[in-house]
Amino acid sequence: MKPSLTPVVAGLALAALAASSVASAQTVLRASHQFPGGQGDVRDEMVQMMADKVAEADVGLEIQVYPGQSLFKADEQWGALVRGRLDITALPLDYASGRHPEFSATLMPGLVRNHEHAQRLNDSEFMDMIKEVIQEGGARVLADAWLSGAFASSQNCITSPDTVEGQNFRAAGPAFEQMLEAAGASIASMPSSEIYTAMQTGVLDAANTSSMSFVSYRLYEQVDCLTEPGEHALWFMYEPILISEQVWQELDEAQQEALMSASQEAEDFFAAEAAAIDQQMVDVFEENGVEVVSMSEADYNAWLEIAKQSSYKNFANDVENGQALIDAALAVE
C-alpha cells in the first residue's frame, strides 16, 4: 500500500499543478521585424516596449521579439502575417504594395509634408481607407508610425531632379521609383536592410530610405553626401505595427485590451521621438565626415512636378480608388 501524501507535500503538488496550468495557458505571440535589435532603432524599441507592457498587464500574453530579419525576411513578413504564420510585425507598409497597390499611397512623394501633418493624417479619411485595405487583407493596425526620410549618394549631393541622372538608385517603393526613373536614374529594388551591401559592392550609387534606417544600417560608411528632410521633406513612409487578424480574433478581451493599451503607449513614444530622429541622423553623418545638404523650395517643387506626371498619374490610373486616396490625403491640411 502506497503511503499517503502529507498535507504539506500535497499542497506543494497542487501548487505545482496550478502553476503548470497557468504556464500552459500562456499565449505567446511572435513579433518579427527587419531592423537591428537593441541598438536604438525606434521601431525595434516600439515593439520591445509593447512586449514589456503586455507582460506587465499579466493577462496570460507574451510577445517574443525577433529583430533583424531573424525570423522572416523583410519582404516575407506581410505574407506570413496574413497567412497566420507570423503574429505581429513592424512593417514599412509599401513593402506589401505588390499584393495591395493601394499601399503605395503611404510612400507617395510629397503627400506628407512634415511630422505634424503625418499625425493629422492618422485620424483622416485617407487612413480609414488604407486601414480598410489592411483589414480586408488579413491584418490590423496596432500602432501608427510615419518616418521621414532622406537621400544619399556616393557620387554627388541629391538636390534638384537633374542631380540623380545616371545614378543607380534604390528607391523605397513604386511611387519613388517612377519619379526617380522619370528624372533619369536607374532603379534597383531592395529592402532597406540590403542597401549597405549593395553600395559596398557598387550595385548602388544612391538611395533613399527613412532617417532611422540611414543611422541603423550605418549608411554613413558608404556615402559622401546626405540630403536631410529639412523644411521640404519629400519622403515620408508609413511603418505601422500590425497584428494578424486571425491571431487578434483568437485573443480574449483582456488580452486585446492589454495589447491595445501597450500599442498606444508605443505609438505615443514614437510620436515624441519622430522629429528628433532627423537631427540624430544629421549629427551622426556629420560626425562621420559626410556632407549634409537640404533641398530648396524650388528643388522640392521641381520634384513634385515630376511626381505628379509620373507616380501620381500612374497611381490614379492603375489603382482602384487611387485618385480618391490621393485626394483624401491632400485634403488634410
Side-chain angles (χ1 to χ4, degrees):
M1 181 176 178
K2 293 182 179 179
S4 60
L5 297 175
T6 67
V8 173
V9 173
L12 290 172
L14 287 172
L17 180 62
S20 175
S21 298
V22 170
S24 64
Q26 185 89 344
T27 298
V28 178
L29 303 183
R30 297 183 306 163
S32 166
H33 64 73
Q34 73 193 64
F35 313 109
Q39 298 181 32
D41 190 299
V42 71
R43 294 159 295 192
D44 173 61
E45 291 180 344
M46 286 178 73
V47 182
Q48 295 287 352
M49 176 182 289
M50 286 174 55
D52 292 343
K53 296 297 181 182
V54 164
E56 290 172 8
D58 194 22
V59 290
L61 187 62
E62 177 186 352
I63 298 175
Q64 295 177 348
V65 183
Y66 296 83
Q69 303 188 98
S70 56
L71 191 60
F72 288 98
K73 296 295 185 183
D75 54 5
E76 296 173 350
Q77 291 179 128
W78 173 265
L81 189 77
V82 299
R83 289 195 298 270
R85 295 174 55 219
L86 174 62
D87 305 316
I88 293 172
T89 184
L91 181 73
L93 191 64
D94 191 78
Y95 282 16
S97 61
R99 296 171 184 262
H100 300 282
E102 298 93 336
F103 292 164
S104 283
T106 64
L107 184 58
M108 188 70 68
L111 210 59
V112 182
R113 295 188 295 275
N114 51 51
H115 292 287
E116 293 76 16
H117 187 218
Q119 289 299 307
R120 293 193 294 275
L121 272 177
N122 286 339
D123 299 314
S124 69
E125 180 188 2
F126 170 75
M127 285 308 298
D128 289 343
M129 295 168 72
I130 292 295
K131 289 179 179 179
E132 184 177 347
V133 178
I134 291 172
Q135 194 141 5
E136 288 175 353
R140 172 183 295 255
V141 175
L142 293 176
D144 294 313
W146 288 90
L147 281 88
S148 56
F151 296 74
S153 172
S154 61
Q155 303 297 312
N156 56 265
C157 294
I158 305 298
T159 50
S160 58
D162 63 293
T163 58
V164 304
E165 189 171 354
Q167 294 196 58
N168 293 321
F169 220 109
R170 182 271 182 178
F176 268 87
E177 290 178 351
Q178 291 162 16
M179 181 190 73
L180 285 163
E181 197 166 27
S186 298
I187 302 301
S189 300
M190 65 190 71
S192 56
S193 52
E194 297 177 13
I195 295 174
Y196 186 100
T197 301
M199 284 190 154
Q200 189 177 43
T201 56
V203 172
L204 290 179
D205 301 313
N208 59 11
T209 189
S210 71
S211 298
M212 191 77 260
S213 289
F214 267 113
V215 175
S216 294
Y217 295 124
R218 308 189 321 278
L219 297 182
Y220 47 81
E221 295 178 358
Q222 298 297 328
V223 301
D224 296 317
C225 188
L226 173 82
T227 308
E228 65 168 327
E231 295 181 13
H232 307 290
L234 192 65
W235 197 104
F236 265 85
M237 187 176 198
Y238 184 55
E239 302 190 21
I241 298 176
L242 306 171
I243 186 171
S244 163
E245 182 65 21
Q246 175 184 328
V247 171
W248 171 263
Q249 296 298 337
E250 292 172 353
L251 301 178
D252 63 36
E253 185 176 349
Q255 291 170 335
Q256 289 179 348
E257 289 179 358
L259 189 54
M260 290 309 299
S261 176
S263 300
Q264 187 61 57
E265 288 194 52
E267 183 178 315
D268 292 344
F269 162 75
F270 171 81
E273 295 290 320
I277 294 170
D278 296 340
Q279 188 58 51
Q280 177 190 355
M281 174 185 65
V282 169
D283 293 343
V284 168
F285 273 66
E286 288 182 337
E287 288 167 5
N288 284 273
V290 177
E291 182 180 0
V292 178
V293 299
S294 302
M295 284 188 188
S296 67
E297 185 174 4
D299 293 333
Y300 174 88
N301 288 334
W303 276 114
L304 204 55
E305 283 305 310
I306 292 176
K308 288 176 179 177
Q309 295 304 314
S310 54
S311 49
Y312 277 52
K313 183 178 179 180
N314 294 339
F315 187 79
N317 290 338
D318 299 341
V319 178
E320 185 177 358
N321 293 327
Q323 189 61 56
L325 278 163
I326 291 173
D327 291 344
L330 293 175
V332 179
E333 297 296 330

